[in-house]
Coordinates of all heavy atoms in Angstrom, one line a residue:
L45 N -43.5 8.6 43.2 CA -44.2 7.4 43.3 C -45.0 7.3 44.7 O -46.1 6.9 44.7 CB -43.3 6.2 43.1 CG -44.0 4.8 43.0 CD1 -45.0 4.8 41.8 CD2 -43.0 3.7 42.8
P46 N -44.3 7.5 45.8 CA -45.1 7.4 47.1 C -46.3 8.4 47.2 O -47.3 8.0 47.6 CB -44.0 7.8 48.2 CG -42.7 7.5 47.5 CD -42.9 7.8 46.1
N47 N -46.1 9.6 46.6 CA -47.2 10.6 46.6 C -48.3 10.1 45.7 O -49.5 10.2 46.1 CB -46.7 12.0 46.2 CG -45.8 12.6 47.2 OD1 -45.8 12.2 48.4 ND2 -44.9 13.5 46.8
L48 N -47.9 9.6 44.6 CA -49.0 9.1 43.6 C -49.7 7.9 44.3 O -50.9 7.8 44.1 CB -48.3 8.7 42.3 CG -47.8 9.8 41.4 CD1 -47.0 9.2 40.3 CD2 -48.9 10.7 41.0
A49 N -49.0 7.0 44.9 CA -49.6 5.8 45.6 C -50.6 6.3 46.7 O -51.7 5.8 46.8 CB -48.6 4.9 46.1
Q50 N -50.1 7.3 47.5 CA -51.0 7.8 48.6 C -52.2 8.4 48.0 O -53.3 8.2 48.5 CB -50.2 8.8 49.4 CG -50.9 9.4 50.5 CD -51.3 8.4 51.6 OE1 -50.6 7.4 51.8 NE2 -52.4 8.5 52.3
Q51 N -52.1 9.2 46.9 CA -53.2 9.9 46.3 C -54.2 8.8 45.8 O -55.4 9.0 45.9 CB -52.7 10.8 45.2 CG -53.8 11.6 44.6 CD -54.5 12.5 45.5 OE1 -53.9 13.1 46.4 NE2 -55.8 12.7 45.4
L52 N -53.7 7.8 45.1 CA -54.5 6.7 44.5 C -55.3 6.0 45.6 O -56.5 5.8 45.5 CB -53.7 5.7 43.7 CG -54.4 4.6 43.1 CD1 -55.4 5.1 42.1 CD2 -53.4 3.6 42.5
F53 N -54.6 5.7 46.8 CA -55.2 5.0 47.9 C -56.3 5.9 48.5 O -57.4 5.5 48.8 CB -54.2 4.7 48.9 CG -54.7 4.0 50.1 CD1 -55.1 2.6 50.0 CD2 -54.8 4.6 51.4 CE1 -55.6 2.0 51.1 CE2 -55.3 3.9 52.4 CZ -55.7 2.6 52.3
T54 N -56.0 7.2 48.7 CA -57.0 8.2 49.2 C -58.2 8.3 48.3 O -59.3 8.3 48.8 CB -56.3 9.5 49.4 OG1 -55.2 9.4 50.3 CG2 -57.3 10.5 50.1
D55 N -58.0 8.4 47.0 CA -59.1 8.5 46.1 C -59.9 7.3 46.1 O -61.2 7.3 46.1 CB -58.6 8.8 44.7 CG -58.0 10.2 44.5 OD1 -58.2 11.0 45.4 OD2 -57.3 10.4 43.5
S56 N -59.3 6.1 46.2 CA -60.0 4.8 46.2 C -60.9 4.8 47.5 O -62.1 4.3 47.4 CB -59.1 3.6 46.2 OG -58.4 3.6 45.0
L57 N -60.4 5.2 48.6 CA -61.1 5.2 49.9 C -62.3 6.1 49.8 O -63.4 5.8 50.2 CB -60.2 5.5 51.1 CG -59.3 4.5 51.6 CD1 -58.4 5.0 52.7 CD2 -60.0 3.2 52.0
K58 N -62.1 7.3 49.2 CA -63.2 8.3 49.1 C -64.3 7.7 48.2 O -65.5 7.8 48.5 CB -62.7 9.6 48.5 CG -61.9 10.4 49.5 CD -61.3 11.7 48.9 CE -60.5 12.5 49.9 NZ -59.9 13.7 49.2
D59 N -63.9 7.1 47.1 CA -64.9 6.5 46.2 C -65.6 5.4 46.8 O -66.9 5.3 46.7 CB -64.2 6.0 44.9 CG -63.6 7.1 44.0 OD1 -64.0 8.3 44.2 OD2 -62.8 6.8 43.1
A60 N -64.9 4.6 47.6 CA -65.6 3.4 48.3 C -66.6 4.0 49.3 O -67.7 3.5 49.4 CB -64.6 2.5 48.9
R61 N -66.2 5.0 50.1 CA -67.1 5.6 51.1 C -68.3 6.2 50.5 O -69.4 6.0 50.9 CB -66.3 6.6 51.9 CG -67.2 7.4 52.9 CD -66.5 8.4 53.7 NE -66.0 7.6 54.8 CZ -65.2 8.1 55.7 NH1 -64.7 9.3 55.6 NH2 -64.9 7.4 56.8
T62 N -68.1 6.9 49.4 CA -69.2 7.6 48.7 C -70.2 6.5 48.2 O -71.4 6.6 48.3 CB -68.7 8.4 47.5 OG1 -67.8 9.4 48.0 CG2 -69.8 9.1 46.8
S63 N -69.6 5.4 47.6 CA -70.5 4.4 47.1 C -71.3 3.7 48.2 O -72.5 3.5 48.0 CB -69.6 3.3 46.3 OG -70.4 2.3 45.9
I64 N -70.6 3.4 49.3 CA -71.3 2.7 50.4 C -72.4 3.6 51.0 O -73.5 3.2 51.2 CB -70.3 2.3 51.5 CG1 -69.5 1.2 51.0 CG2 -71.0 1.9 52.8 CD1 -68.3 0.8 51.8
E65 N -72.1 4.9 51.2 CA -73.1 5.9 51.7 C -74.2 6.0 50.8 O -75.4 6.1 51.2 CB -72.4 7.2 52.0 CG -71.5 7.2 53.2 CD -70.7 8.6 53.3 OE1 -70.8 9.4 52.4 OE2 -70.1 8.7 54.4
S66 N -74.0 6.0 49.5 CA -75.0 6.2 48.5 C -75.9 4.9 48.5 O -77.2 5.1 48.5 CB -74.4 6.3 47.1 OG -75.4 6.3 46.1
D67 N -75.3 3.7 48.6 CA -76.1 2.5 48.7 C -77.0 2.5 49.9 O -78.1 2.1 49.9 CB -75.2 1.3 48.6 CG -74.5 1.1 47.3 OD1 -75.0 1.7 46.3 OD2 -73.6 0.3 47.2
L68 N -76.4 2.9 51.1 CA -77.2 2.9 52.3 C -78.3 3.9 52.2 O -79.4 3.6 52.7 CB -76.3 3.2 53.5 CG -75.3 2.0 53.9 CD1 -74.4 2.5 55.0 CD2 -76.1 0.8 54.4
N69 N -78.0 5.1 51.7 CA -79.1 6.1 51.6 C -80.2 5.6 50.6 O -81.4 5.8 50.9 CB -78.5 7.4 51.1 CG -77.7 8.1 52.2 OD1 -77.9 7.8 53.4 ND2 -76.8 8.9 51.8
N70 N -79.8 5.0 49.5 CA -80.8 4.5 48.6 C -81.7 3.4 49.2 O -82.9 3.4 49.0 CB -80.1 3.9 47.3 CG -79.5 5.0 46.5 OD1 -79.9 6.2 46.6 ND2 -78.6 4.6 45.6
H71 N -81.0 2.5 50.0 CA -81.8 1.4 50.7 C -82.7 2.0 51.7 O -83.9 1.6 51.7 CB -80.8 0.5 51.4 CG -81.4 -0.7 52.0 ND1 -82.1 -1.7 51.3 CD2 -81.6 -1.0 53.3 CE1 -82.6 -2.5 52.2 NE2 -82.3 -2.1 53.4
A72 N -82.3 3.0 52.5 CA -83.1 3.6 53.5 C -84.3 4.4 52.8 O -85.4 4.3 53.3 CB -82.3 4.5 54.4
T73 N -84.0 5.1 51.7 CA -85.0 5.8 51.0 C -86.1 4.9 50.4 O -87.3 5.1 50.5 CB -84.4 6.7 49.9 OG1 -83.4 7.5 50.5 CG2 -85.4 7.5 49.1
K74 N -85.6 3.8 49.8 CA -86.6 2.8 49.3 C -87.4 2.2 50.4 O -88.7 2.0 50.2 CB -85.8 1.7 48.5 CG -86.8 0.7 47.8 CD -86.1 -0.1 46.8 CE -86.9 -1.1 46.1 NZ -88.3 -1.1 46.2
A75 N -86.8 1.9 51.5 CA -87.6 1.3 52.6 C -88.7 2.3 53.1 O -89.8 2.0 53.4 CB -86.7 0.9 53.8
A76 N -88.2 3.6 53.2 CA -89.2 4.6 53.6 C -90.3 4.8 52.6 O -91.5 5.0 53.0 CB -88.4 5.9 53.9
Q77 N -90.0 4.8 51.3 CA -91.0 4.9 50.3 C -92.0 3.7 50.4 O -93.2 3.9 50.2 CB -90.4 4.9 48.9 CG -89.6 6.2 48.6 CD -88.9 6.2 47.3 OE1 -88.7 5.1 46.7 NE2 -88.4 7.4 46.9
D78 N -91.4 2.5 50.6 CA -92.3 1.3 50.7 C -93.2 1.5 51.9 O -94.4 1.1 51.8 CB -91.5 0.0 50.8 CG -90.8 -0.3 49.5 OD1 -91.1 0.3 48.4 OD2 -89.9 -1.1 49.5

Side-chain angles (χ1 to χ4, degrees):
L45 188 61
N47 292 337
L48 291 174
Q50 180 66 29
Q51 184 64 34
L52 179 63
F53 182 71
T54 302
D55 291 346
S56 296
L57 283 177
K58 286 179 184 176
D59 291 345
R61 172 178 272 172
T62 302
S63 175
I64 289 170
E65 287 175 352
S66 173
D67 289 347
L68 286 175
N69 287 337
N70 289 343
H71 181 68
T73 302
K74 183 165 178 16
Q77 289 173 347
D78 290 344

